[in-house]
Amino acid sequence: MTHRPAVFAALLGLTRAASAIGDFWIQDDFCARVKGASDDHPVTYVDPVTEKKTTHGTAGGRSACLHHCLTYTATQAIVAGAGARALGIRVHPAAAAAALALSFGTHYAADRRVPGKGLLEKIATKTGKGGFYKLADFGINGAFHLDSAWHHGWETVAALIATTKSTTS
């Protein structure tokens, strides 16, 4: 089992890179703006090309978040799969599926940022970080940083899961 720490480091690096790609390059503007919409806090989206305005509630927010999380997880699967192959790492299919499912589920839970009801906001408030969560000044966005830390933590757990029964050539 001497290869497991190296496999873990490689998979964590690959999924971290894929996370940034999925969140900032693959996610479209619509999903980024609408994924936290709810009936109590609707989001009006203005299409940058057509300038058409559409308003979205809970169903639209859930759909946008689901779409984002699917493309995000697919990006992780592609990057980690191709990178692992290039490095001669064979990840057990069940471990890969479990790791990607964890990444998908925790990403969805964090990204459905319904004001006053979102998981991260609730955790931040209960742990005394509510003020930081709401901070959007001095070049800092607290919600963004807490979101990133949440994802990094769960990606670490997912990388550990993915090393289960892995082999190297």
Side-chain angles (χ1 to χ4, degrees), residues 6-7 9-11 13-14 79-90 167-169:
V7 169
L11 292 176
L14 290 165
V79 171
R85 185 176 183 94
L87 295 170
I89 298 169
R90 291 192 177 145
T167 61
T168 55
S169 42

Side-chain angles (χ1 to χ4, degrees), residues 105-118:
T106 58
H107 202 88
Y108 184 92
D111 277 23
R112 273 293 287 150
R113 288 193 218 161
V114 177
K117 296 180 182 178

Side-chain angles (χ1 to χ4, degrees), residues 16-27 72 75 79:
R16 267 290 55 237
S19 173
I21 294 166
D23 259 346
F24 305 121
W25 287 98
I26 303 299
Q27 178 176 211
Y72 171 91
T75 302
V79 171

Side-chain angles (χ1 to χ4, degrees), residues 65 69 104-113 118-120 150-151:
C65 194
C69 290
F104 175 89
T106 58
H107 202 88
Y108 184 92
D111 277 23
R112 273 293 287 150
R113 288 193 218 161
L119 178 65
L120 287 185
W150 169 271
H151 295 321

